Amino acid sequence: MDVNTAALKDAILGQDFLTWLWFRSEKNGWLFRMADGGEVNVYLEQKVSVRGGEGDNVETAVVSGPNAAFAEAREGLKAGKRVDRALLRLEQDGNTWMVQLKADDLSLNALRTPKIETRAAEGEDPDGPILEKLFLVEKGMGFVEELYGQFLAARLGPDWRAELRAFADWLGEKA
């Protein structure tokens, strides 16, 4: 497989993941259960981009705005487009992470972790705030990795056709 073919396949898988994540987060009431027994709320925030077509016929629609209902993006999904970029808000135990995901390479852009106290109190390890920030970055990346694992389990599992029917119903509900 050449590099261009591999990149195209990755983009399609990435688009399927982001589209599934939007659908599944709404169907789950924005709640995902993690392997460790914890729960994470996943929301699409303020900006989503959908793309469809091939070669010179690629069309993209970007929808943004606070409290956006993403009506145009939903129409794009109905026309066969898929999510190719999304700003996600992940919440767990009162902490919030924000990250933008790109379908082409599943890169995480602009990852924001919960705020931490940057000044170490007297007697505390001066590396503590740095270590805490690194922990939070790793935790946010872990959420995305686990969500992707859940997508792959669904995508490669025996119930994928049922998932596609539920997706079609979800799109129809939003008419």
Side-chain angles (χ1 to χ4, degrees), residues 5 10 12 15-16 18 26 58 60 121 142 170:
T5 303
D10 288 345
I12 291 171
Q15 287 178 324
D16 282 353
L18 292 177
E26 283 197 18
V58 172
T60 302
W170 173 74

Side-chain angles (χ1 to χ4, degrees), residues 10 13-15 17-18 101-108 144 148:
D10 288 345
L13 195 57
Q15 287 178 324
F17 169 57
L18 292 177
L101 285 177
K102 290 174 46 180
D104 292 344
D105 54 7
L106 290 178
S107 61
L108 284 69
V144 174
Y148 188 67

Side-chain angles (χ1 to χ4, degrees), residues 6-174:
L8 182 61
K9 287 186 182 284
D10 288 345
I12 291 171
L13 195 57
Q15 287 178 324
D16 282 353
F17 169 57
L18 292 177
T19 303
W20 174 86
L21 192 59
W22 180 8
F23 151 68
R24 192 41 60 200
S25 65
E26 283 197 18
K27 290 302 278 184
N28 289 358
W30 296 275
L31 185 68
F32 287 83
R33 298 202 188 290
M34 299 285 122
D36 67 358
E39 297 176 333
V40 175
N41 289 93
V42 179
Y43 305 93
L44 268 70
E45 273 299 296
Q46 301 181 2
K47 188 173 186 176
V48 65
S49 170
V50 294
R51 182 177 59 191
E54 293 180 11
D56 293 337
N57 297 320
V58 172
E59 294 179 356
T60 302
V62 178
V63 181
S64 63
N67 304 316
F70 304 128
E72 290 180 37
R74 289 178 199 276
E75 290 301 317
L77 293 180
K78 290 178 184 176
K81 293 180 176 123
R82 295 177 180 147
V83 177
D84 77 329
R85 191 176 300 213
L87 179 61
L88 303 177
R89 180 170 44 116
L90 309 166
E91 294 180 349
Q92 185 181 58
D93 300 330
N95 294 312
T96 302
W97 290 258
M98 299 284 288
V99 64
Q100 185 175 43
L101 285 177
K102 290 174 46 180
D104 292 344
D105 54 7
L106 290 178
S107 61
L108 284 69
N109 298 300
L111 175 64
R112 286 190 306 174
T113 65
K115 292 187 188 277
I116 61 167
E117 179 60 48
T118 57
R119 287 180 264 158
E122 190 171 319
E124 288 184 351
D125 182 358
D127 294 335
I130 294 169
L131 295 173
E132 184 178 2
K133 193 68 166 180
L134 289 173
F135 169 77
L136 292 170
V137 167
E138 186 174 315
K139 192 167 186 171
M141 292 173 63
F143 291 150
V144 174
E145 186 176 308
E146 185 159 341
L147 291 168
Y148 188 67
Q150 289 183 18
F151 161 72
L152 288 178
R155 179 70 180 88
L156 300 173
D159 298 328
W160 183 244
R161 288 190 182 274
E163 190 80 349
L164 289 176
R165 282 191 295 276
F167 174 74
D169 291 345
W170 173 74
L171 274 181
E173 292 170 4
K174 301 298 179 182

